Amino acid sequence: MAALNMLWTGLALLGILGVLQIPTQAQAALQPNFQEDKFLGLWFTSGLASNSSWFLEKKTALSMCKSVVTPAADGGLSLTSTFLRKDQCETRTLLLRPAGPPGCYSYTSPHWSSNHEVSVVETDYKAYALLYTESFRGPGQDFSMATLYSRTQVPKAEIKEKFTTFAKAQGFTEDGIVFLPQTDKCMEEDP
């Protein structure tokens, strides 16, 4: 019986120590008084951050993409993104369904068939927006990403610094933060 108690005590201690070694992540808040109508229009995906193995493997092959946000017919937002893939322009549309307070949405990934929650954490509507996305697919398969949207293809240095600070506050490491290179392909401003 004493051996069993020692085993449970040891496991509990390992659990506590394991938790203490995991970096704490700041919970992503929402943009106060989010105004969906001001968020509509053309955005460029200028920066991404994630610690997922997929992202870390592919990040050097990624380039800037454009996204057009419009109101969806049945509520929420329609997000149409155009990006360069294998030297061709591809376009994908996601329906962002309201999922709580204003600025919080959910969507189903067409590629993974998993549900994602995306939050508009901070925006000035005119120059930048910081978004945080997470998905819970199962043990060891959770996914999270920070995204920098900018209204122009060249965000100001202070906006890039704001994104870096935000991404690090979410627990992303320096090697998991990337500013996407500009490309002339697929960037026409007409949706």
Side-chain angles (χ1 to χ4, degrees):
M1 186 68 166
L4 187 58
N5 282 342
M6 269 183 91
L7 175 64
W8 282 114
T9 303
L11 288 174
L13 215 93
L14 284 175
I16 291 169
L17 291 174
V19 168
L20 293 176
Q21 293 175 358
I22 296 170
T24 58
Q25 295 182 358
Q27 181 66 29
L30 287 172
Q31 169 71 33
N33 304 312
F34 179 72
Q35 298 175 41
E36 196 173 81
D37 59 326
K38 290 185 177 182
F39 189 70
L40 303 176
L42 178 66
W43 291 99
F44 295 95
T45 303
S46 302
L48 296 172
S50 181
N51 289 341
S52 78
S53 57
W54 170 89
F55 177 78
L56 296 174
E57 290 170 14
K58 304 285 185 191
K59 71 179 186 175
T60 58
L62 300 173
S63 61
M64 184 178 289
C65 73
K66 72 171 184 176
S67 297
V68 178
V69 181
T70 58
D74 56 351
L77 299 173
S78 177
L79 175 70
T80 301
S81 297
T82 304
F83 53 94
L84 184 64
R85 183 173 181 201
K86 296 182 181 178
D87 212 31
Q88 293 187 28
C89 296
E90 280 194 30
T91 300
R92 295 201 180 137
T93 300
L94 293 174
L95 175 62
L96 302 177
R97 299 176 307 273
C104 186
Y105 300 91
S106 67
Y107 70 92
T108 302
S109 167
H111 184 72
W112 300 104
S113 297
S114 55
N115 291 323
H116 296 257
E117 289 187 9
V118 60
S119 302
V120 180
V121 175
E122 182 179 329
T123 184
D124 69 353
Y125 305 102
K126 296 175 187 172
Y128 76 96
L130 305 176
L131 283 73
Y132 182 75
T133 305
E134 61 186 348
S135 168
F136 306 101
R137 295 185 232 169
Q141 296 182 346
D142 294 349
F143 171 80
S144 57
M145 177 173 278
T147 305
L148 169 61
Y149 277 0
S150 58
R151 291 288 190 185
T152 65
Q153 292 186 47
V154 184
K156 294 180 179 178
E158 57 265 22
I159 291 173
K160 292 170 87 171
E161 183 59 37
K162 184 182 285 277
F163 175 69
T164 299
T165 301
F166 167 66
K168 287 180 178 178
Q170 303 314 308
F172 300 122
T173 58
E174 194 73 41
D175 68 326
I177 301 170
V178 64
F179 291 98
L180 301 172
Q182 260 184 277
T183 179
D184 291 333
K185 297 181 180 181
C186 313
M187 293 292 124
E188 305 82 33
E189 297 212 9
D190 294 327

